[in-house]
Amino acid sequence: MTRMSIVIPAHDEGPLVRIGLEHMLADAEPGEFEVVVVANGCSDDTADQARRVGGVTVVEIDRASKILALNAGDAAARGFPRAYVDSDVRISTATLRALAAALDETTEPRAAAPRLRVDTARTSRPVRAYYRVWALSDYRGDGHIGSGVYAVNAAGRARWDAFPDVIADDRFVQQRFRPAERRSLDGEEFVVAASKDMRTHIRRGIRIERGNRELPAAVQLAAHEPARRRYLRLLGRVAVRPALWVCLPFYLYGFAAAKVGARSGGAVTWSRDDSLRETVRA
């Protein structure tokens, strides 16, 4: 029996999508996971690269749109639990199994995700300093769903119809579940590569901030704690760790620049950091 269905939107990912799939399915049994890759608006060989991995279903749509790809993937996928995985993350077969098992524990609506680990091996020193402080933030605490991987059981997926036309699909899903209905898996992780430099990091942060702001209150079931309390807790954690004091200015700069940039106006559009893709293609 299929353990879980997995939907992966992919736009001009080339060999990166194949590498991610091979890592994801390295220890999988035949038919253990139903994997649907949705190549959306691609002008490269993303679809062909995905087809090179056995047992993967590839759906192609003409328009470059993550939301359209998520909905097309949902239409093609058959099973639950169902995971939604960005094509540029690394996640193991064992973690996918743990994710499916966690969601099979109840028939009540649930959302779950592994812990996020940011790989800073190829980034600049300022970005590494930023993430050393970020690692202590409430954002990393229990109940965080998204940032590259999230999954729901059948009752959880019934919380919404089609994915709405938003930038922050992961934030949209997280806010469909109250904190007690979310689960972050201790001991399990997925990996996302950090941006190559602070300029690229801030550009990504602006897109994320604008995407979060566009979500209407009507779609959010979970109330937000006042931001001031969260910021003060983070500063308190840094204050008792002298080794991080030198990192704090880089965190404050990266954080504030994204906030200010998001307020500067302009259309909210989907964008991505291509530095990892450039490394793979090289």
Side-chain angles (χ1 to χ4, degrees), residues 57-75:
T57 299
V58 178
V59 176
E60 296 186 68
I61 61 176
D62 292 337
R63 183 176 167 190
S65 165
K66 185 179 182 182
I67 294 301
L68 290 180
L70 289 170
N71 286 325
D74 263 341

Side-chain angles (χ1 to χ4, degrees), residues 19-280:
I19 292 169
L21 287 167
E22 289 173 344
H23 182 79
M24 177 189 303
L25 300 175
D27 299 315
E29 299 293 334
E32 183 176 5
F33 298 101
E34 178 195 35
V35 180
V36 180
V37 174
V38 184
N40 58 101
C42 294
S43 59
D44 68 353
D45 63 345
T46 292
D48 290 336
Q49 291 280 353
R51 289 190 182 101
R52 290 171 60 182
V53 182
V56 173
T57 299
V58 178
V59 176
E60 296 186 68
I61 61 176
D62 292 337
R63 183 176 167 190
S65 165
K66 185 179 182 182
I67 294 301
L68 290 180
L70 289 170
N71 286 325
D74 263 341
R78 297 167 294 175
F80 287 98
R82 186 166 300 170
Y84 302 88
V85 180
D86 286 356
S87 56
D88 59 349
V89 308
R90 296 198 306 273
I91 186 169
S92 70
T93 307
T95 294
L96 289 172
R97 287 174 180 149
L99 191 57
L103 290 167
D104 277 335
E105 290 177 353
T106 179
T107 58
E108 296 297 316
R110 291 291 185 270
R115 299 283 184 173
L116 165 64
R117 178 167 69 85
V118 179
D119 179 4
T120 58
R122 297 185 182 91
T123 193
S124 65
R125 288 184 179 181
V127 177
R128 289 200 297 271
Y130 172 95
Y131 277 111
R132 289 187 67 191
V133 175
W134 173 86
L136 299 176
S137 66
D138 285 0
Y139 184 80
R140 296 278 287 136
D142 290 339
H144 172 64
I145 302 296
S147 299
V149 178
Y150 55 87
V152 294
N153 60 9
R157 184 59 186 83
R159 285 276 173 91
W160 74 97
D161 295 322
F163 279 90
D165 188 15
V166 297
I167 298 297
D169 61 285
D170 51 355
R171 178 72 171 221
F172 165 78
V173 171
Q174 175 171 303
Q175 294 305 311
R176 300 307 298 160
F177 298 85
R178 296 177 177 85
E181 297 173 323
R182 310 174 200 155
R183 182 172 174 190
S184 294
L185 274 60
D186 291 328
E188 303 293 344
E189 68 177 19
F190 67 98
V191 182
V192 174
S195 298
K196 64 179 180 179
D197 53 40
M198 186 59 78
R199 180 180 180 181
T200 310
H201 170 81
I202 290 170
R203 188 163 62 242
R204 174 196 276 182
I206 291 171
R207 190 264 302 174
I208 292 171
E209 180 68 17
R210 287 182 175 178
N212 290 342
R213 289 184 179 191
E214 77 171 354
L215 291 176
V219 305
Q220 301 185 26
L221 297 183
H224 294 287
E225 184 181 20
R228 184 172 180 272
R229 293 182 188 174
R230 292 183 277 113
Y231 301 154
L232 288 175
R233 281 199 295 268
L234 176 59
L235 291 175
R237 293 168 191 144
V238 174
V240 298
R241 294 171 170 83
L244 293 182
W245 292 355
V246 69
C247 299
L248 186 59
F250 295 103
Y251 176 82
L252 294 175
Y253 172 70
F255 177 84
K259 293 283 186 182
V260 171
R263 294 191 183 103
S264 65
V268 179
T269 58
W270 185 84
S271 62
R272 70 181 184 186
D273 178 2
D274 281 328
S275 57
L276 176 62
R277 294 155 184 86
E278 292 165 2
T279 301
V280 171

